[in-house]
Amino acid sequence: MFIGVFCSVDSSVFLFAGLGREYALAFAERGASVIVNDLGADIKGGGKSSAAADKVVEEIRAKGGKAVANYDSVEDGEKLIQTALDAFGRIGAILRDRSFTRTSDLDWDLIQRIHLRGSFLVTRAAWNHMKIQKFGRVIMTASAAGIYGNFGQANYSAAKLGLLGLANTLAIEGQKYNIHCNTIAPVAGSRLTETIMPPDLVASLKPEYVAPLVLWLCHDQCQENGGLFEVGAGWIGKLRWERSQGHIVRQKNQTMTPEAVRDQWNKICDFTDATKPATIQESLHSVVSVLSQVESKEEVRANPTVALASSGIDPSVAVGQKLPQSTFSFNHMQCILYALGVGMSTKDPDHLRFLYEGHSDFSCLPTFGVIPSQAAMMEGGLSAVPGLNIDFTQVLHGEQYLELYKPLPTSGKLTSKATIADVLDKGSGAVILLDVNTYSGDELVCYNQFSVFVVGAGGFGGKRSSDKAKAPLPPPRRAPDAVVIDFTTRDQAALYRLSGDWNPLHIDPSFAAMGGFKAPILHGLCSFGFAARHVLKQFADNDPSRFKAIKVRFVKPMLPGQSLQTEMWKEGNRIYIQCKVKETDVVVLSGAYVDLHAASDASPEHPKQGGGLQSELVFAEIGRRIKDVGSELVKKVNAVFAWEITKDGKNTAQWTIDLKNGSGSLHKGPYSGKVDVTFTVSDEDFLDVVQGKLNPQKAFFSGKLKVRGNIMLSQKLEVILKDYAKL
């Protein structure tokens, strides 16, 4: 039920050909009495006409609704509200929609007067009436320019964000009187947007796709108060503030320095476990806690609200720490030794390509990718990490994820860089997520995530889950598509350990007994290798180039000499797996899967470049331009752009334009550095955009051009593509 009076206030004639008109008609259709206010000014704020308001009133009355027109300026708020009271006797809801054309040529005061001061005056005029009747609904219309900022619109953006601040305070002050105030930031086609959007796009962003939200927010059953919503094209999303945990950079009786701020900058800006303060009280809570800590000389920590237990683990210190870089030099001998360690044998002719360096297709098993990266743990790297004071006799390998970006070489020198991705509190223990990127020269070869469980190290008040963790997945609930049973030998662990895992738990009976095992156990990564090669043979014809990634959870140990049963379910290019000890039916690997590349496709992560792609020519030209004037472009642009080019819906090429570092560069294929903005577009649409055949804004809104990261940096692409670029 809608009750009371609805007033739509605006300063420009074109509103009632768009959002304002749609709001007024929709409210009137549902029984509300409407005041249609329009000064009748042109898009620059000049002139005056009653035509727009009169036309909307006539439409409402023709349909049997109630409406009267008002032509006063929004700065005469009392007159506008009096019109409503004289005509209908009460005020129900006030909508403040002041869409305006680009305002770079208008002075600051005019914009603030019309948008911000006008909203204040009209709302103030209605406020007491709403208080008396114990009901009111106020909708402020902000803008994406106010929320995010927009080049050339400083005055307009300031006024629109000011409306949000005004609405938030009114929501607090009006709540006890049943007066609710919310803010919307609509996207709708109008005379405002037709100058910057293609006509068919303007037509598709109909005002009637915004009006239903406004009607609901004004309904007496709607209890939403103090909300901020983006709305357009039939989509509605709610926004909220987010704040990092932050970091304290001073101590009692010590000077706070800019150097301290600099040194802790990454932690200050880390949004891991970000808080979402919704009130000023919540905002001040951490500050008060900080003062208490500093005055009591407590140890300075990142999150002042988390009390660390005596576990010796402090995630705020440990997360983000980089371990010492490690190098791994190898040749065919290490590849062959690893293959033998995970059960390959000359008894199987298909295994020869992994066991004989003279084979025409001699290859390295994909899961060999864990070997160069494991040095981060095996060489004591974790023991040097601040914030991880743990008992390493209590460390268990919980899960493993490996992803290849290209087939592994059979010899060479690899460099691994490890980072503590996250630390989780599981109560009975702690989970440490260790991300390791392995490179051949500057090229990223593979990525590993080690998930290790530290028994008894929990209870430090940390989070239990992380979006950085590669999650295990259950298999389908049906019979497996394939089952392979393989035998391990009594010496399997003794053989596998020669690949670098020297833990005595896998060879020394007395050490195993101290861990509660009746005999040395098989390495989890050994059974991991068994399972991966089972999938490779069963579903990829032993072709290592088809291997993309593997994820497993280590559930229970198995003993050397036992049989491993691998059950496999094929779902597209993903093979779900579960491994059991054949003799005991005990599950040793669960939540596991292997991702394969399709037989006819190159790896989406490391695609074959070229293949007749039209975009190749454009990037070749960009490369030449960077070589000629790269230093100049770096000064102008200072950003890194990544491009994902698709063909028939699949990623077929990756390019990165680095105009932030050195004298600029163009990278082909995967890029290991940080990018500022990523574009995904088909090869055909990319060329159409570059040649001006496809409007980039239309491509973006239609979903043909997808953008991740700092979208505003896309404006700098014209500097790169020069005359023929339309971005």
Side-chain angles (χ1 to χ4, degrees):
M1 175 183 178
F2 291 96
I3 58 176
V5 179
F6 170 77
C7 298
S8 180
V9 186
D10 194 80
S11 61
S12 50
V13 63
F14 53 82
L15 173 68
F16 283 98
L19 285 172
R21 172 182 175 274
E22 191 62 36
Y23 298 160
L25 293 175
F27 272 96
E29 183 179 338
R30 286 161 177 78
S33 300
V34 183
I35 297 295
V36 179
N37 167 266
D38 198 307
L39 181 61
D42 58 28
I43 63 173
K44 294 183 178 180
K48 188 172 183 179
S49 170
S50 64
D54 291 342
K55 183 177 180 181
V56 175
V57 170
E58 290 173 5
E59 286 187 72
I60 292 173
R61 290 177 175 173
K63 295 179 180 180
K66 297 179 181 179
V68 295
N70 176 274
Y71 319 115
D72 294 309
S73 167
V74 291
E75 293 187 276
D76 295 323
E78 293 286 352
K79 293 182 180 179
L80 190 157
I81 295 303
Q82 192 58 50
T83 300
L85 292 172
D86 291 344
F88 306 118
R90 64 176 294 173
I91 300 293
I94 295 181
L95 175 73
R96 259 329 131 289
D97 191 289
R98 289 170 193 64
S99 300
F100 218 81
T101 191
R102 296 187 62 172
T103 59
S104 58
D105 60 337
L106 298 177
D107 65 23
W108 179 275
D109 289 340
L110 175 60
I111 298 303
Q112 303 303 313
R113 243 175 52 218
I114 297 300
H115 292 278
L116 190 53
R117 179 172 167 78
S119 297
F120 156 69
L121 291 172
V122 175
T123 306
R124 185 179 65 176
W127 195 256
N128 283 334
H129 300 286
M130 290 180 170
K131 285 175 62 177
I132 292 171
Q133 66 190 26
K134 299 293 184 181
F135 177 84
R137 296 292 185 265
V138 180
I139 311 297
M140 297 290 183
T141 300
S143 163
I147 299 170
Y148 307 109
N150 194 26
F151 182 85
Q153 292 188 304
N155 48 3
Y156 179 77
S157 299
K160 285 297 187 181
L161 189 59
L163 286 172
L164 176 59
L166 174 61
N168 288 343
T169 297
L170 292 180
I172 296 170
E173 294 186 9
Q175 188 167 13
K176 65 180 179 181
Y177 302 107
N178 193 26
I179 302 173
H180 296 170
C181 187
N182 292 284
T183 306
I184 66 170
V187 177
S190 69
R191 279 178 52 194
L192 285 174
T193 53
E194 65 185 10
T195 59
I196 59 173
M197 293 182 181
D200 53 346
L201 181 57
V202 173
S204 68
L205 296 174
K206 297 180 180 180
E208 50 258 50
Y209 298 151
V210 176
L213 170 62
V214 176
L215 266 67
W216 169 240
L217 291 175
C218 289
H219 200 284
D220 63 338
Q221 293 180 5
C222 180
Q223 296 304 303
E224 185 70 36
N225 190 25
L228 170 62
F229 301 87
E230 286 187 294
V231 53
W235 171 88
I236 302 169
K238 187 174 183 179
L239 281 74
R240 64 184 178 189
W241 292 105
E242 185 175 69
R243 183 176 66 184
S244 72
Q245 292 281 4
H247 197 87
I248 305 172
V249 293
R250 79 176 182 94
Q251 292 182 338
K252 187 176 182 180
N253 299 325
Q254 294 185 15
T255 302
M256 180 175 169
T257 67
E259 289 78 13
V261 177
R262 175 201 63 199
D263 294 344
Q264 301 299 331
W265 192 248
N266 287 341
K267 293 177 182 176
I268 292 169
C269 300
D270 183 2
F271 277 85
T272 303
D273 287 339
T275 61
K276 300 172 179 64
T279 67
I280 194 169
Q281 290 80 13
E282 292 178 9
S283 173
L284 291 174
H285 176 76
S286 293
V287 176
V288 173
S289 180
V290 167
L291 292 173
S292 175
Q293 284 188 49
V294 172
E295 289 304 311
S296 62
K297 300 183 181 179
E298 289 182 23
E299 179 185 357
V300 173
R301 300 191 299 265
N303 180 2
T305 63
V306 175
L308 300 178
S310 58
S311 65
I313 292 182
D314 187 347
S316 67
V317 175
V319 174
Q321 292 284 343
K322 298 184 183 304
L323 279 64
Q325 181 173 297
S326 62
T327 58
F328 179 78
S329 297
F330 68 108
N331 57 29
H332 64 278
M333 290 181 63
Q334 282 81 12
C335 298
I336 295 171
L337 189 61
Y338 174 81
L340 292 169
V342 295
M344 287 201 141
S345 168
T346 55
K347 294 178 181 179
D348 190 331
D350 291 340
H351 291 181
L352 198 60
R353 67 178 296 179
F354 300 104
L355 297 173
Y356 174 43
E357 72 281 4
H359 193 281
S360 58
D361 291 322
F362 179 60
S363 304
C364 186
L365 276 172
T367 47
F368 182 75
V370 301
I371 300 301
S373 65
Q374 69 185 3
M377 290 194 300
M378 301 305 171
E379 296 177 3
L382 285 177
S383 63
V385 176
L388 288 184
N389 182 18
I390 57 178
D391 181 355
F392 283 89
T393 65
Q394 299 299 308
V395 172
L396 302 175
H397 195 172
E399 298 178 12
Q400 183 71 29
Y401 177 81
L402 165 67
E403 183 170 356
L404 299 187
Y405 299 100
K406 60 177 296 184
L408 295 172
T410 55
S411 64
K413 182 178 180 180
L414 301 176
T415 302
S416 294
K417 301 176 182 179
T419 304
I420 303 297
D422 219 336
V423 180
L424 310 179
D425 188 348
K426 296 295 187 178
S428 61
V431 171
I432 301 171
L433 299 179
L434 181 68
D435 283 353
V436 186
N437 287 304
T438 301
Y439 301 85
S440 175
D442 294 328
E443 186 174 18
L444 181 62
V445 175
C446 63
Y447 159 75
N448 278 271
Q449 183 176 87
F450 294 83
S451 174
V452 297
F453 186 81
V454 186
V455 179
F460 52 86
K463 60 184 182 179
R464 292 187 60 86
S465 61
S466 172
D467 57 5
K468 296 179 182 178
K470 299 295 183 179
L473 299 173
R477 293 185 176 181
R478 57 179 174 82
D481 297 313
V483 178
V484 171
I485 299 175
D486 211 344
F487 301 94
T488 67
T489 69
R490 288 290 301 272
D491 296 322
Q492 200 73 58
L495 184 57
Y496 181 84
R497 70 190 298 268
L498 299 180
S499 288
D501 187 341
W502 304 104
N503 190 336
L505 177 66
H506 306 294
I507 191 71
D508 186 344
S510 60
F511 192 92
M514 287 191 299
F517 301 103
K518 63 180 182 180
I521 61 174
L522 190 64
H523 304 72
L525 285 177
C526 181
S527 53
F528 168 90
F530 266 80
R533 66 174 181 78
H534 291 164
V535 172
L536 199 66
K537 180 174 182 178
Q538 190 72 31
F539 295 101
D541 197 28
N542 269 337
D543 181 359
S545 69
R546 295 208 34 213
F547 183 95
K548 179 182 179 183
I550 180 173
K551 169 69 183 184
V552 306
R553 170 179 285 168
F554 303 109
V555 183
K556 295 284 186 179
M558 67 179 294
L559 301 176
Q562 291 181 321
S563 304
L564 187 70
Q565 176 175 305
T566 303
E567 301 168 342
M568 296 167 272
W569 294 260
K570 187 176 189 302
E571 297 277 340
N573 289 327
R574 172 163 289 176
I575 314 300
Y576 294 88
I577 54 179
Q578 178 175 270
C579 294
K580 299 178 179 179
V581 176
K582 177 69 168 84
E583 291 81 0
T584 63
D585 205 37
V586 171
V587 175
V588 294
L589 299 182
S590 72
Y593 61 86
V594 172
D595 285 335
L596 299 173
H597 298 303
S600 58
D601 295 340
S603 164
E605 305 301 326
H606 195 271
K608 294 179 181 177
Q609 302 291 326
L613 295 179
Q614 302 174 83
S615 54
E616 287 275 337
L617 300 175
V618 178
F619 285 108
E621 173 60 26
I622 292 173
R624 285 191 290 271
R625 181 166 295 151
I626 292 174
K627 287 182 180 179
D628 294 339
V629 291
S631 298
E632 179 183 343
L633 290 174
V634 168
K635 292 179 182 178
K636 290 182 179 180
V637 177
N638 190 33
V640 179
F641 303 92
W643 289 88
E644 297 173 346
I645 305 298
T646 67
K647 188 82 172 179
D648 299 324
K650 299 179 180 178
N651 285 353
T652 54
Q654 290 177 289
W655 296 88
T656 304
I657 304 170
D658 183 350
L659 293 179
K660 178 181 284 188
N661 303 298
S663 57
S665 57
L666 176 68
H667 298 267
K668 194 177 185 180
Y671 181 71
S672 59
K674 180 180 179 182
V675 301
D676 296 298
V677 59
T678 301
F679 303 91
T680 303
V681 65
S682 72
D683 184 58
E684 298 81 0
D685 290 336
F686 174 79
L687 197 65
D688 286 346
V689 168
V690 169
Q691 294 179 338
K693 297 178 181 178
L694 175 61
N695 183 288
Q697 290 175 323
K698 180 179 179 181
F700 174 75
F701 281 105
S702 65
K704 292 183 176 180
L705 174 65
K706 298 178 181 178
V707 185
R708 304 192 305 273
N710 188 347
I711 190 172
M712 299 306 295
L713 287 175
S714 61
Q715 299 178 23
K716 295 188 177 183
L717 283 175
E718 188 173 1
V719 176
I720 306 169
L721 300 179
K722 289 285 187 179
D723 298 335
Y724 57 80
K726 301 299 179 182
L727 282 172

